[in-house]
Amino acid sequence: MNDKIKFKEYLTMMCELYDKTLSTTLADLYWKVLEPYSDEECIRAFVDIMHTGRYFPKPVDFVEAIRGTAKNRSTLAWLQAYETLKKIGNYQSVQFADPVIHSVIELMGGWPHFCEMLEDEAKWKQKEFERYYEVISTRSGKHPFYLPGTHEMENARTGWDVKPEIIQIGFEKLKLISNG
């Protein structure tokens, strides 16, 4: 958040709503938590919390209002991966904007194996995917840059030095958010 005036205005309203005294320390704490996020995201979080919260929010409540809970993020990641599986298939290499998806799918056997899932296996694979996602997303570390598809893996196995195009998933959404 960049707009300190709006921040203080909304934090003051929230303190009034919940009969909380606004100290400088409290304001500084919430400012530091909200600083990485855009003004629009923060204002939306303030409004959402004021409409739905029963108690004065903790910093984590703001982060969850902006980013979603770990469960929400894992479900959205599953939906994106599963939709990509149906649209793109196993032959193409893919790169998700959320690199945690790469680590999860690698853990589940890689992109081609993930794409071979049968329709009646999907609900069980979803549970497995979401469990892995929730754990991996809380840890820092490197994630694969992309997920190689069957064409790329077969080319590498047979000695062809030809890398097919990597299909990018979710990047256009990030551009819209950063421009908007």
Side-chain angles (χ1 to χ4, degrees), residues 5-180:
I5 294 169
K6 282 279 186 204
F7 166 76
K8 286 195 178 197
E9 182 181 303
Y10 275 94
L11 189 58
T12 301
M13 279 192 283
M14 189 159 280
C15 287
E16 292 276 332
L17 180 65
Y18 293 104
D19 292 325
K20 185 85 170 169
T21 304
L22 179 58
S23 68
T24 305
T25 306
L26 185 67
D28 289 345
L29 171 70
Y30 282 88
W31 176 257
K32 282 181 176 58
V33 168
L34 296 175
E35 201 170 22
Y37 304 105
S38 73
D39 290 341
E40 295 80 21
E41 289 172 315
C42 294
I43 290 169
R44 192 171 33 243
F46 272 109
V47 171
D48 288 350
I49 290 170
M50 283 190 269
H51 281 101
T52 61
R54 296 181 194 272
Y55 307 102
F56 190 80
K58 303 283 186 211
V60 71
D61 296 322
F62 280 98
V63 174
E64 285 182 353
I66 293 168
R67 294 182 54 212
T69 63
K71 179 67 178 150
N72 291 349
R73 287 192 311 274
S74 70
T75 300
L76 290 172
W78 162 261
L79 292 171
Q80 188 176 54
Y82 191 64
E83 189 64 29
T84 302
L85 165 160
K86 293 191 295 187
K87 284 183 179 174
I88 306 293
N90 65 311
Y91 290 102
Q92 293 290 327
S93 299
V94 295
Q95 180 186 28
F96 290 92
D98 179 355
V100 175
I101 294 173
H102 302 157
S103 293
V104 172
I105 291 175
E106 281 294 313
L107 191 60
M108 293 176 73
W111 183 243
H113 180 72
F114 182 78
C115 290
E116 292 169 357
M117 146 185 16
L118 301 173
E119 189 71 34
D120 61 339
E121 295 177 307
K123 73 177 181 178
W124 303 110
K125 291 291 185 181
Q126 178 178 359
K127 290 178 188 295
E128 179 183 8
F129 181 99
E130 289 178 358
R131 261 194 329 270
Y132 288 150
Y133 188 94
E134 286 180 39
V135 172
I136 292 171
S137 68
T138 62
R139 298 187 177 168
S140 60
K142 293 199 174 231
H143 302 288
F145 183 67
Y146 71 102
L147 295 166
T150 301
H151 282 311
E152 182 175 342
M153 294 168 88
E154 191 61 26
N155 286 351
R157 189 184 68 73
T158 58
W160 275 46
D161 193 23
V162 177
K163 281 197 168 192
E165 176 187 3
I166 298 171
I167 307 297
Q168 294 186 322
I169 312 297
F171 288 90
E172 58 283 344
K173 184 177 180 185
L174 291 178
K175 288 176 190 168
L176 289 174
I177 290 171
S178 65
N179 290 338

